[in-house]
Amino acid sequence: MSRVLISGASIAGPTLAYWLRRRGFEVTVVEKAGAIRGGGYPIDIRGTALEVVRRMGVLPKLREAHVHTERLTFLNPDGSVITSVKPDVVVRGVEGRDIEVPRGDLTEILYATVRDDVEFRFDDSIASLDQRPDGVEVTFRSGAQRTFDLVVGADGLHSNTRRLAFGPEAQFHRYLGHCFAGFTMPNELGLSHEGLTWSRPGRGAAIYAVGDRRNVHGFLTFDRDEPPYEAFRDPEAQRELVASVFADDGWEIPRMVAAMRSADDLFFDVISQIRMPRWSTGRVALVGDAAYAPSFLTGQGTSLGLVGAYMLADALATGADHRAAFAAFEDATRPFVEMNQNLVGEGDSTLFPRTEEAMAKRNEMLRSLDSLPPAEGRPEHSALTLPALEGGAA
């Protein structure tokens, strides 16, 4: 029986744990947070990823958690309405088939599928990795030491596992020219099952109501030529930067900035991708955002995490040498990943244009959208057909 350590208990990590455990692997998941993280903004599951959750048996629960966002209303800088559309037509999803759930609901459902069969180490993380011919000696932040046959980093865009095994993030980080701040705020507009999107060239805002909840998700984004390195580890600097960018704007922006300043859940980052020449080194591999974050502009981060976890488990379940398994995983999955990463380029943002010309084109496009979404959605979303996950036990 092979012993596998997975770093990260969000989406790709528990999914990989589920499928490895099904094939006889002994799995440990380490998570730096003290527990599974609840709440969070809504995320989408579509295309090939829907088949992953169907095979896991959790599709009915996810359907129950689906938030049924009914419309997105786009606004001019003065707050006047451009148009209202169904969300699916904007992202070219498939109404009635694609799923949108709060991130915390998805992580809770995935965790529930494996918590009784997999060891979880919460409030801990990997401090060091020592690769040897017969295994990986892992020292945890808590001081504990364990040896595993394989280690998989599923710990997100700013992966600690990637840093330890591959080196600094900067060499793989592709900045797309935008920064953003996300936070929750009171639902003072009385929104229900809908989102409002405001924009002017170079910056934009969104208020998103998940069902009928008392709070809504606030989102502020803006263009910047270089990442604001000086603000990454300083929440107060982040608040000041965002406030200064939106200082002269109207509509609900002053109230959003005030909510951002006092929010205890502010999340600030840059919009970026991770592009790596390879996703494994020795006995350590990466999956999900740690290996190939596509950026939320694609709407495919969650789906790529689910699909990648399944494909990695399939490769390892064949019983092949880990080097061959990692190579097979990458050969089968990379074209699908890159196809979805290529949905956006540097400076691209359909929802938040950078120039007056781009905004005029976007508005024209929005007004011309049909009331019904495309029958099959984007071909990129379903471009990979899952294997049957056959193979001997580990």
Side-chain angles (χ1 to χ4, degrees):
M1 178 181 290
S2 293
R3 297 160 297 173
V4 180
L5 173 66
I6 300 171
S7 177
S10 181
I11 294 171
T15 303
L16 177 62
Y18 173 86
W19 290 112
L20 288 181
R21 192 69 193 94
R22 290 258 323 233
R23 304 312 300 173
F25 288 76
E26 180 182 318
V27 182
T28 299
V29 179
V30 61
E31 167 57 47
K32 66 180 180 181
I36 293 295
R37 298 175 182 178
Y41 51 85
I43 50 86
D44 298 300
I45 305 171
R46 57 173 70 96
T48 303
L50 286 169
E51 179 63 11
V52 175
V53 295
R54 187 194 69 79
R55 293 185 186 186
M56 293 180 73
V58 299
L59 185 55
K61 292 182 179 178
L62 292 171
R63 293 279 184 212
E64 292 177 6
H66 180 59
V67 298
H68 298 287
T69 300
E70 296 172 357
R71 65 178 176 271
L72 292 177
T73 298
F74 290 83
L75 306 173
N76 287 306
D78 63 0
S80 60
V81 174
I82 299 169
T83 188
S84 292
V85 299
K86 292 184 177 182
D88 294 296
V89 302
V90 178
V91 298
R92 291 182 62 186
V94 183
E95 186 176 24
R97 189 169 73 193
D98 294 354
I99 296 174
E100 181 186 26
V101 295
R103 186 180 185 86
D105 288 14
L106 175 59
T107 57
E108 288 282 359
I109 290 170
L110 294 175
Y111 173 61
T113 67
V114 294
R115 64 187 174 197
D116 296 331
D117 301 313
V118 168
E119 175 193 5
F120 280 82
R121 296 178 63 97
F122 288 105
D123 196 23
D124 207 353
S125 60
I126 300 173
S128 68
L129 297 169
D130 181 12
Q131 294 208 54
R132 300 175 180 179
D134 58 348
V136 185
E137 183 75 22
V138 177
T139 300
F140 293 95
R141 187 188 64 199
S142 62
Q145 290 187 321
R146 298 263 296 273
T147 300
F148 297 90
D149 296 296
L150 303 172
V151 174
V152 180
D155 43 355
L157 176 68
H158 304 298
S159 169
N160 176 55
T161 310
R162 183 181 62 232
R163 178 183 63 82
L164 292 171
F166 294 84
E169 178 180 312
Q171 60 188 313
F172 311 118
H173 187 276
R174 183 191 182 200
Y175 176 57
L176 295 181
H178 310 277
C179 303
F180 71 93
F183 49 92
T184 54
M185 57 185 288
N187 187 5
E188 297 182 10
L189 296 176
L191 301 177
S192 174
H193 297 274
E194 63 183 307
L196 303 177
T197 299
W198 171 99
S199 58
R200 67 188 320 151
R203 56 191 183 275
I207 301 177
Y208 202 89
V210 180
D212 297 312
R213 299 185 183 186
R214 294 175 58 187
N215 289 331
V216 293
H217 293 280
F219 178 84
L220 296 166
T221 183
F222 56 95
D223 297 348
R224 189 179 174 93
D225 291 337
E226 295 292 334
Y229 297 107
E230 70 284 355
F232 283 151
R233 299 185 182 277
D234 186 345
E236 191 55 36
Q238 296 166 10
R239 298 177 200 274
E240 291 300 326
L241 173 61
V242 176
S244 67
V245 170
F246 290 88
D248 298 326
D249 293 314
W251 184 58
E252 291 290 315
I253 301 302
R255 185 156 50 183
M256 293 184 71
V257 170
M260 180 271 300
R261 283 190 178 277
S262 61
D264 60 7
D265 61 351
L266 174 65
F267 181 75
F268 178 89
D269 207 341
V270 295
I271 299 178
S272 56
Q273 296 181 335
I274 295 297
R275 300 265 189 162
M276 302 185 69
R278 53 191 170 86
W279 301 337
S280 66
T281 177
R283 292 178 174 269
V284 179
L286 304 172
V287 70
D289 281 355
Y292 45 75
S295 94
F296 71 78
L297 294 179
T298 67
Q300 280 292 89
T302 297
S303 292
L304 292 184
L306 290 165
V307 172
Y310 184 97
M311 295 298 289
L312 177 54
D314 174 69
L316 291 170
T318 63
D321 170 85
H322 67 273
R323 291 178 292 269
F326 289 158
F329 158 60
E330 187 164 338
D331 288 345
T333 313
R334 183 178 284 275
F336 178 64
V337 164
E338 293 184 346
M339 188 181 300
N340 281 275
Q341 286 182 321
N342 291 338
L343 290 174
V344 298
E346 186 173 341
D348 287 352
S349 178
T350 300
L351 296 184
F352 303 107
R354 307 188 84 170
T355 65
E356 291 283 2
E357 180 183 11
M359 181 166 290
K361 289 182 179 179
R362 183 208 64 173
N363 293 348
E364 182 180 358
M365 178 271 293
L366 290 171
R367 293 189 186 102
S368 68
L369 289 176
D370 294 332
S371 59
L372 295 177
E376 295 300 326
R378 279 188 180 274
E380 294 90 345
H381 297 166
S382 304
L384 187 149
T385 299
L386 297 179
L389 197 67
E390 296 179 352

